Amino acid sequence: MALNPVERKLVELLQLWEDFRAEPGKRLLLWQAPDNGKRMIECFCEVQRHASPYTSGDTFIVFDAAFEQSVGYARALKEALAGQYAASHEDLQREGLQPDWRFEPEGLPETAAAFVQGLASLAAHHPQLGHLVAVLLPSAVAQDEAWAAWVGRALEAAGSVSGVRLLVPDFSQAPRLGELAAAHHPLVTVQAPAVEAWSTAQETFAQEPAVGAPGVFRSLLTALFALAEKGSADHVLLKARDVLAFANKQGWADQEVAVRLVTAGAMLKAQRFDDALNHYQHARASAEVASAANHPAGKQLVLQTWFGEAAAQLAAGQPKEAVPCYREAARLAAALPNAPLLIEALRMGAFCHARAGEAEPALALSRKALSVGAKLQPEARAMTTLPLLAFESLRLLEPERVAAIEAVKHQLDQASSRLGADTERQMAALERHPDPSALRRLEQVHAAQVLQLQQQARDRGDRLAAAGTPEFMAVFEQARALLGAQWPVTMKGAIASLPAGAQAEEGAAA
């Protein structure tokens, strides 16, 4: 029986893995992959846990702990290793193995080498598991250079042990291991697996029989998605015409909306604003048909089209034309009701008025949004765009004072970055001759220094705000009451961070 496209990708990944494994001197496999290839890589790792034609006989363990700093990351990985082993006891027993490996994470220092030592201990205790493969897929990375250095130290440790391998995917949207890839390290193999998601989906739908109209439409829509991601705007328009004609023939108004939204997005990316507006407006007509027919998502679809049209007007440099779109979006969001989207519609309406030089209407919408936020549970407010809206409301009143508070936030970012880099250098030095108590002390000192920097920045921001006009302070105090003491300087989402390059320039200027 012919393999389907997903199975073929699994076979290809297996072959790449076996090519790497065939070189006994290698320890780390670096997969340079497209952003949307993560799911396929995760699927490959998951398949290794089950008997199938696509398994290698090796044991893959995925570690997705976030990387904040080296000591905490090593601790998280050691604890994850112990936890995953404890959770696999029944699986080991089914394979005739006694789950009697003893591992005490706290008994080892918080270092990359100690983590690799733990892996090596497990591999030696259960040689029947084949190679023990640590797949490093952190959910977030706070410091790219520090993460890359940590991987380098883990690689160095892995070079002296047998039975352990490291698999590290590096994705094109946020590549972090470019230097390692270019270094031609003797312990590293670099591969570029073909795991692009839309291509695989197209191949899958092309191979499967298209059962009825839904099957045909699925194939057409998948091809449109692929073109929207990688094709030209003209190709997207040609394909969209075919997909729309098919959906219209079936009477699928909701699917017409989906096609129009994808097409409009592609037009925006190509800066063809008139085409984008046209598709958003036609999408709304189809969404209103779906809503009138009591489609469960009909009103949400209409709301999406208003947000989309507003974004197109803004992208075209026409903020005043975007205002009515955000007004309609706010009306619909209030009727649903959907408080986060209502806050966002009001925030963007205020932004457009401000961009057009209309401060009073902007302030009126901001006040309305703050009132909406007051009705939310306190823990939910920071998960909306309320922190940013509140800060931008202050900018309407005293732009120079707000710029000074922004500078405090940016200086905090720079100081935190310098502190983090300095701490990482110290941690790396301590890893050479690890003293667990010294590493933990350094971690504690770092945490205390971060808290001190944050408190100093909050105090500076508060002093700047306190010198504002009564109207400024009224808005500031209202937002502080809603959002807490971290707002605005140390609350995520309230003040945008500078890009890395701009941070460096601002730091040099300071």
Side-chain angles (χ1 to χ4, degrees):
M1 182 182 295
L3 298 178
N4 67 41
V6 172
E7 290 172 324
R8 286 201 298 272
K9 292 300 177 189
L10 292 175
V11 170
E12 290 172 14
L13 291 175
L14 177 60
Q15 184 59 60
L16 290 173
W17 172 255
E18 290 178 340
D19 289 346
F20 163 74
R21 189 180 60 185
E23 300 183 74
K26 301 294 185 179
R27 290 294 181 270
L28 185 148
L29 176 57
L30 177 59
W31 271 350
Q32 296 179 316
D35 304 329
N36 61 21
K38 182 179 179 182
R39 287 290 182 87
M40 183 60 69
I41 292 172
E42 290 174 330
C43 178
F44 171 76
C45 295
E46 175 63 24
V47 164
Q48 303 310 306
R49 298 177 57 229
H50 310 282
S52 80
Y54 324 113
T55 54
S56 62
D58 297 320
T59 299
F60 287 65
I61 305 176
V62 176
F63 295 91
D64 61 0
F67 182 90
E68 293 291 337
Q69 41 84 358
S70 292
V71 169
Y73 186 62
R75 179 186 300 112
L77 295 193
K78 289 188 300 165
E79 290 173 352
L81 176 60
Q84 292 205 43
Y85 183 77
S88 67
H89 282 188
E90 291 184 4
D91 293 336
L92 291 168
Q93 287 170 337
R94 278 194 295 269
E95 294 178 22
L97 300 177
Q98 188 65 28
D100 56 358
W101 178 56
R102 296 289 178 264
F103 179 59
E104 301 295 336
E106 62 276 8
L108 293 173
E110 273 75 39
T111 66
F115 170 62
V116 172
Q117 180 183 339
L119 294 171
S121 170
L122 177 55
H125 190 82
H126 290 303
Q128 304 90 336
L129 297 178
H131 288 91
L132 190 62
V133 186
V135 184
L136 301 182
L137 265 175
S139 58
V141 174
Q143 306 174 65
D144 288 354
E145 289 185 7
W147 150 251
W150 192 95
V151 171
R153 296 196 294 276
L155 172 62
E156 182 180 340
S160 61
V161 301
S162 61
V164 173
R165 297 293 183 270
L166 304 175
L167 171 59
V168 189
D170 200 31
F171 298 102
S172 55
Q173 186 176 23
R176 300 181 175 105
L177 299 175
E179 289 187 12
L180 180 61
H184 304 291
H185 194 290
L187 298 178
V188 177
T189 294
V190 181
Q191 297 172 344
V195 289
E196 206 279 326
W198 287 118
S199 297
T200 304
Q202 279 185 278
E203 293 171 19
T204 300
F205 295 148
Q207 180 171 318
E208 292 181 358
V211 180
V216 174
F217 182 75
R218 182 186 64 183
S219 297
L220 289 170
L221 188 61
T222 303
L224 178 65
F225 274 117
L227 282 173
E229 185 168 324
K230 299 192 296 184
S232 70
D234 287 336
H235 287 153
V236 171
L237 287 175
L238 286 172
K239 176 58 69 174
R241 193 173 302 152
D242 293 339
V243 188
L244 284 168
F246 190 88
N248 183 263
K249 183 178 178 181
Q250 304 302 320
W252 295 339
D254 58 338
Q255 299 300 337
E256 289 183 54
V257 177
V259 175
R260 293 282 189 186
L261 292 179
V262 171
T263 307
M267 296 305 103
L268 270 184
K269 186 168 70 172
Q271 297 189 329
R272 292 171 59 160
F273 304 120
D274 288 342
D275 286 333
L277 288 167
N278 177 59
H279 278 278
Y280 281 126
Q281 290 159 2
H282 278 85
R284 183 156 53 255
S286 298
E288 287 169 345
V289 170
S291 182
N294 295 319
H295 189 289
K299 292 179 180 178
Q300 288 279 6
L301 292 174
V302 177
L303 179 58
Q304 286 183 51
T305 68
W306 281 118
F307 272 114
E309 183 177 346
Q313 296 284 14
L314 268 178
Q318 301 173 152
K320 291 193 73 169
E321 285 76 1
V323 168
C325 301
Y326 285 121
R327 186 184 305 124
E328 285 300 310
R331 180 183 64 81
L332 284 169
L336 279 170
N338 187 317
L341 287 182
L342 173 54
I343 289 171
E344 179 60 7
L346 293 170
R347 181 185 79 84
M348 289 305 300
F351 173 84
C352 292
H353 277 301
R355 181 68 67 87
E358 300 167 348
E360 283 307 315
L363 277 169
L365 290 178
S366 297
R367 292 189 184 101
K368 187 174 181 180
L370 289 170
S371 297
V372 174
K375 298 174 184 176
L376 294 174
Q377 292 295 318
E379 62 272 14
R381 293 168 188 159
M383 294 187 285
T384 70
T385 53
L386 195 65
L388 176 59
L389 174 139
F391 191 69
E392 290 304 315
S393 299
L394 297 177
R395 194 186 302 277
L396 294 167
L397 296 168
E398 294 192 57
E400 291 184 2
R401 187 172 306 282
V402 166
I405 296 173
E406 272 182 323
V408 171
K409 154 70 173 172
H410 297 154
Q411 289 160 11
L412 170 63
D413 287 346
Q414 292 159 9
S416 298
S417 179
R418 290 192 296 270
L419 175 62
D422 183 58
T423 300
E424 282 295 329
R425 283 191 291 271
Q426 294 180 63
M427 287 178 174
L430 284 175
E431 284 199 28
R432 298 297 177 189
H433 305 286
D435 175 349
S437 60
L439 282 167
R440 289 173 188 142
R441 281 196 304 273
L442 179 57
E443 183 182 28
Q444 291 165 357
V445 167
H446 174 74
Q449 290 173 325
V450 168
L451 289 176
Q452 183 180 28
L453 285 174
Q454 291 176 343
Q455 187 59 56
Q456 290 171 346
R458 283 195 293 269
D459 291 345
R460 290 175 60 201
D462 287 355
R463 286 195 297 271
L464 285 166
T469 64
E471 188 178 10
F472 183 96
M473 277 307 298
V475 174
F476 185 90
E477 289 172 355
Q478 182 184 9
R480 174 61 62 80
L482 290 175
L483 296 165
Q486 287 192 320
W487 182 86
V489 173
T490 58
M491 175 172 279
K492 185 177 181 181
I495 304 175
S497 296
L498 288 173
Q503 278 193 29
E505 291 175 13
E506 187 168 288

